[in-house]
Amino acid sequence: MRVPFHPAFRPHRTRALLLLALSGSLLFSATSCSDDNDNDSSPSLPETVAFTQANLYPEGVQYDAKNSRYLVSSQTAGTVGQVKDDGTYTAFAENAVLVSTIGMNLDESRNRLLVAVSDPGYNKERTSAATLRKLARLAIFNRDNGQLQSTVDLGSLRPTLNHFANDIAVDGQGNAYVTDSFSPIIYKVDAQGTAGVFLENAQLAAPAGMFGLNGIVFHPDGYLLVAKSDEGAIFKVPLNNPAAFTKVAISQDLKGADGMLLQDNNTLQVVTNAQAKVYRLTTTNAWGAATVTGTFSTPPQYPTTLARREGADSYVLYSNLNALQASQNPPVSVFTIARVRF
């Protein structure tokens, strides 16, 4: 910027004005550059949290702001662990009913942690012929001390089918909805612990050996959004008439869709582990259709799901489940929770 000379201007005043103009220009430039990133609301948050726990292979993650920790599951240890920002890992909940812990939901208003429990065969100490690919259980813990409050057997509702309880959503009344990846079923467990089949439909089935229904979130307008991994689709399921579910029209291939996070009523984040990406989807018609408005690429470490932290910020868990599925030896020992940046 050129400042015209004027006799009343002294040299030091001219330099001051030049510095002021320059700093203002730089400030405007920096502000403009941040428009591509809507995750700057809490710049002091860590970009990554890495923790060491050999052979853990966590699939689910939640952030507990009250206790300043992440809660993580484990497909191999059948525990729920807690991770601090400095990477310290300690056990949060341990119980014999936990074979493999999968997705979780931190129901803050009721001070409880809901955990989906399955048996894919990776916990060598607890897997059995009776539970292998047959187990679907909901375990509910006290959010503060990790004490087991109750368990609900979901697989027994359809005892002849294969089961894999995967993810959990909770509505405003405390009803929990649990997806089954091996059967075309969404279960409902009310606040009193009574379980039933909320939705069962052959359209939601997956080929043998593949994962079908997966991530699930509750929308405050009275419906669920549910991911189907093998198809790369998202379904909208009304709570008052689940049989009237519809597929959300999305042009993007979401093959491998896993965990999801509802950022706001019109914005959904979806992890696709097969693509090593997190997609941000936006709707203008109440999830009749959606478009991709952001993409976050992750390392090829099999991202699975997301945790909300400090408002709009979200973190994705790198589970490395691909290494577990390949029987990698030695097993992975360091796992990462990373801040999502679109």
Side-chain angles (χ1 to χ4, degrees):
M1 178 178 180
R2 183 178 180 183
V3 180
F5 175 77
H6 191 282
F9 281 13
R10 295 182 179 179
H12 71 275
R13 292 183 62 192
T14 303
R15 287 195 299 271
L17 285 171
L18 281 167
L19 289 172
L20 181 60
L22 180 59
S23 63
S25 175
L26 289 173
L27 179 60
F28 174 79
S29 176
T31 303
S32 299
C33 289
S34 70
D35 289 346
D36 291 333
N37 186 358
D38 60 1
N39 296 109
D40 289 332
S41 57
S42 305
S44 62
L45 295 180
E47 290 301 309
T48 59
V49 176
F51 59 99
T52 301
Q53 191 69 11
N55 198 40
L56 186 73
Y57 295 108
E59 200 274 351
V61 64
Q62 294 280 276
Y63 186 72
D64 180 5
K66 177 183 176 183
N67 295 297
S68 301
R69 64 189 175 191
Y70 292 95
L71 297 168
V72 296
S73 60
S74 172
Q75 288 216 14
T76 51
T79 61
V80 177
Q82 56 187 355
V83 179
K84 295 290 190 176
D85 278 355
D86 64 1
T88 302
Y89 175 93
T90 55
F92 168 73
E94 297 179 290
N95 194 284
V97 303
L98 304 179
V99 181
S100 289
T101 51
I102 314 298
M104 304 185 295
N105 186 291
L106 182 59
D107 185 8
E108 298 197 46
S109 63
R110 297 169 187 85
N111 209 48
R112 58 181 187 160
L113 177 71
L114 292 80
V115 181
V117 181
S118 300
D119 182 8
Y122 295 130
N123 186 338
K124 302 305 181 183
E125 295 183 0
R126 293 180 182 170
T127 187
S128 69
T131 59
L132 180 62
R133 298 177 63 87
K134 296 287 186 182
L135 180 64
R137 176 181 291 154
L138 179 66
I140 303 174
F141 295 89
N142 180 288
R143 172 258 199 94
D144 290 324
N145 57 29
Q147 291 184 351
L148 181 66
Q149 295 179 334
S150 63
T151 62
V152 183
D153 183 2
L154 303 172
S156 63
L157 295 170
R158 296 290 186 271
T160 62
L161 300 179
N162 285 340
H163 298 292
F164 187 97
N166 196 316
D167 200 14
I168 308 163
V170 177
D171 68 18
Q173 287 68 52
N175 301 304
Y177 303 87
V178 184
T179 56
D180 194 323
S181 295
F182 291 167
S183 293
I185 297 173
I186 300 174
Y187 306 98
K188 178 180 178 180
V189 180
D190 67 22
Q192 290 71 48
T194 302
V197 172
F198 174 70
L199 174 62
E200 183 175 13
N201 192 292
Q203 187 179 340
L204 304 176
M210 298 187 69
F211 277 64
L213 297 177
N214 204 319
I216 184 170
V217 295
F218 165 70
H219 194 287
D221 287 344
Y223 50 87
L224 304 170
L225 295 172
V226 187
K228 190 167 183 284
S229 293
D230 65 303
E231 191 176 345
I234 295 176
F235 291 89
K236 176 181 176 180
V237 184
L239 294 186
N240 60 2
N241 185 15
F245 67 90
T246 55
K247 185 186 293 187
V248 180
I250 307 169
S251 59
Q252 175 64 46
D253 171 21
L254 296 177
K255 200 74 84 172
D258 200 329
M260 304 192 297
L261 185 151
L262 192 66
Q263 183 176 323
D264 57 51
N265 285 1
N266 298 314
T267 310
L268 181 71
Q269 297 179 23
V270 183
V271 178
T272 56
N273 46 54
Q275 302 178 44
K277 288 182 171 61
V278 181
Y279 289 107
R280 181 179 61 197
L281 305 179
T282 303
T283 185
T284 58
N285 63 353
W287 298 104
T291 57
V292 175
T293 57
T295 304
F296 175 75
S297 296
T298 77
Q301 295 176 339
Y302 209 94
T304 49
T305 194
L306 298 150
R308 184 191 305 278
R309 179 170 178 177
E310 315 296 323
D313 285 280
S314 62
Y315 281 74
V316 60
L317 172 66
Y318 301 154
S319 71
N320 289 272
L321 286 180
N322 52 334
L324 174 63
Q325 294 160 0
S327 301
Q328 177 178 309
N329 190 29
V332 175
S333 60
V334 179
F335 301 90
T336 303
I337 304 168
R339 191 176 183 182
V340 175
R341 296 281 195 178
F342 293 110

